[in-house]
Amino acid sequence: MQKVITHLKTYQEAPNSHLVDVLDGFRALCVLLVGWFHIWQQGWLAPSFTLFGQYISLDFLLRSGYIWVDGLLLISGFLLYLPYTLGKDSPAILPFYKKRLIRILPSYLLCIIPLFIQALVNGAYPSAGHAVQDLLSHLTFTHNLFPYSYHNTPLNGALWTLGVEMQFYLIFPFLARAFRKHGLITYLAMTGAAFAFRAFSAGQGDTSMYFNQLPAFLDVYANGFMAASVFSLVKKKMGKENWDWRVKAFFTALFFLCICHLVLLAKEQAAENGYESIRRGQMNRRFVQSAVLACAVLCACFSLSGLRFLMGNPLMRFFSAISFQFYIYHQMLAVNLKTWGFPPSDMASPWMGDYRWQLNYTLCCFIGAIILASLITFLFERPIARRLRRNIKEKNNIP
C-alpha cells in the first residue's frame, strides 16, 4: 500500500525530464485509434450509444483514425530531441544510427522475412524481378517511395510509417544540431519545407504517392522538437516553488480546450468524401493538428495529478511498451481473421449487418493483437535489444 501511495505522489510533483509519464498515454491512445481504424475497415462496427437521452456516435473517430499516425511521429520527434534540451551533447551520428537500428531492425525483419517467403510460395509476385525490387526497397526502408512497394506490396502495408521514421533518423542528428544552434530558423525551415512539399503535392492530379512522404511530415517533427524545447524551458522556469495547484489547474483547462479542438479537426477530416479529398484534407490539417496535439502534450505534462495519472498510469505504460509491435501486426491480424472466417457467422458477409459478429470480431482483433504484441515485445524485441547493446558495449570496452 505504501508503494502505491508513493507512486501516486509522483503525479503531484514536477514531471521527470528523463521519463515524461504522460507521453505513454498519448502514444497508447494514438496507436489504439490507428488500430481501431484498421479493424473498423474490416468489421465496419461503428460504436454509438445514448447518453442522457442524446444519441452519440463515435463514427467520426474511426473514419479519421488514420490521422493519429501523425501523433506518433510528433511523439517520436519530442522524445528524440528532448535529451538535447537538457544539456546533452549533440548526437554522435554513428552511435545514434546504431541505437535506432537496434530498436527497429530485428522486429522489422521478423515481420517482413516470413511475409516475403509466404508471398513467394503463394505466387504473389508477377515476376522474380518484382519480388527482388519489393524486398530491396523494404530492406533499405525506401518502400514508401515506389508504387510497387507502397501500394502493391504483398508485405505489410502498415510498414510505410517505418520507412518515414528511418528516413528521418538519417537526417535527425543534423537537424538536432541545427535546432540547438538556430532553433527558430530551423523550425521555420522544416515547417516551410513541409508546406512547400504539400503545396507541390496538392498541385498533382493524384496525391497518393506524395501525402505520406517524409517531407510532408517535417513540420510534425518540428512541432515535436519545439514541444520538447518548451517543456524543458517551462520546467526550468517554474521550479519547485511555483509548482502549485493554480498553475496545474490552468494547464489542465488548456489541455481540455486542445482536446476539443482535436475532436473538431477529427470530425472535419471524417467528413471528407473520396480518397483524393481525404488525402488533401489530411495534408491541409496536418500542421494545425500536430501543433494542437503538441500543446495538449505540454499541458498534460504540467496538469493536475488526476490527469497525469490518467495519461501516465501503469496500464498506459504497458500499452505504450507494446505499441510498436501492436502497430506492426494489428492490421495483418484483422485481415487474416476475416479471411479465415473467425469468429464464425451464419451470414456470408457478416460485416454487412451481423452485429454480434462485428462485436466479437472487433474484440478478437484487439485482444489478439495485444497478446501477440506483448509476446513479441517481451520475448523477442527487448531481449534482442539488450543482447545487441551488450555486444556493442563489450566490443567497444564500454563499462
Side-chain angles (χ1 to χ4, degrees), residues 153-372:
T153 180
L155 307 183
N156 189 344
L159 296 178
W160 68 266
T161 313
L162 292 183
V164 172
E165 274 280 83
M166 291 297 283
Q167 292 160 26
F168 181 73
Y169 292 158
L170 281 176
I171 61 176
F172 170 76
F174 308 101
L175 289 176
R177 293 180 183 186
F179 207 94
R180 291 190 72 181
K181 292 182 179 180
H182 310 286
L184 181 58
I185 294 175
T186 306
Y187 176 83
L188 292 175
M190 293 173 68
T191 302
F195 272 81
F197 183 83
R198 292 200 293 265
F200 163 77
S201 303
Q204 309 305 306
D206 181 2
T207 61
S208 60
M209 280 304 300
Y210 299 98
F211 79 114
N212 277 339
Q213 300 294 338
L214 172 61
F217 291 104
L218 285 176
D219 54 343
V220 176
Y221 285 111
N223 282 329
F225 284 16
M226 186 62 73
S229 301
V230 173
F231 169 83
S232 296
L233 180 63
V234 172
K235 188 173 183 301
K236 182 178 179 181
K237 291 291 185 181
M238 286 178 65
K240 290 188 178 296
E241 67 277 6
N242 295 323
W243 197 252
D244 60 39
W245 71 269
R246 288 166 295 186
V247 175
K248 292 188 281 189
F250 168 78
F251 281 115
T252 302
L254 189 55
F255 167 84
F256 284 107
L257 286 177
C258 291
I259 296 301
C260 290
H261 195 167
L262 289 171
V263 169
L264 291 177
L265 285 173
K267 286 186 175 181
E268 291 174 1
Q269 182 62 32
E272 298 286 356
N273 187 23
Y275 291 122
E276 193 60 41
S277 295
I278 288 173
R279 291 191 290 264
R280 292 174 185 272
Q282 187 177 3
M283 288 195 293
N284 291 337
R285 296 181 179 90
R286 182 163 282 162
F287 174 79
V288 174
Q289 179 200 352
S290 63
V292 175
L293 184 58
C295 183
V297 168
L298 288 171
C299 293
C301 289
F302 304 108
S303 64
L304 292 168
S305 56
L307 177 57
R308 283 184 58 193
F309 173 77
L310 184 66
M311 299 300 293
N313 61 67
L315 182 61
M316 288 298 190
R317 285 203 300 273
F318 168 76
F319 278 118
S320 179
I322 67 169
S323 61
F324 180 38
Q325 304 299 339
F326 181 91
Y327 180 83
I328 290 177
Y329 290 102
H330 74 273
Q331 189 177 33
M332 289 173 49
L333 180 64
V335 171
N336 283 320
L337 286 180
K338 186 176 178 181
T339 301
W340 298 334
F342 185 86
S345 171
D346 294 332
M347 293 180 61
S349 302
W351 51 90
M352 299 299 292
D354 186 343
Y355 176 78
R356 177 171 293 183
W357 179 90
Q358 290 176 305
L359 180 60
N360 290 337
Y361 170 79
T362 300
L363 291 174
C364 286
C365 288
F366 271 109
I367 294 172
I370 290 170
I371 293 173
L372 182 61

Side-chain angles (χ1 to χ4, degrees), residues 13-21 82 231 235 308:
E13 301 170 355
N16 189 327
S17 298
H18 302 282
L19 184 63
V20 185
D21 48 21
L82 181 61
F231 169 83
K235 188 173 183 301
R308 283 184 58 193

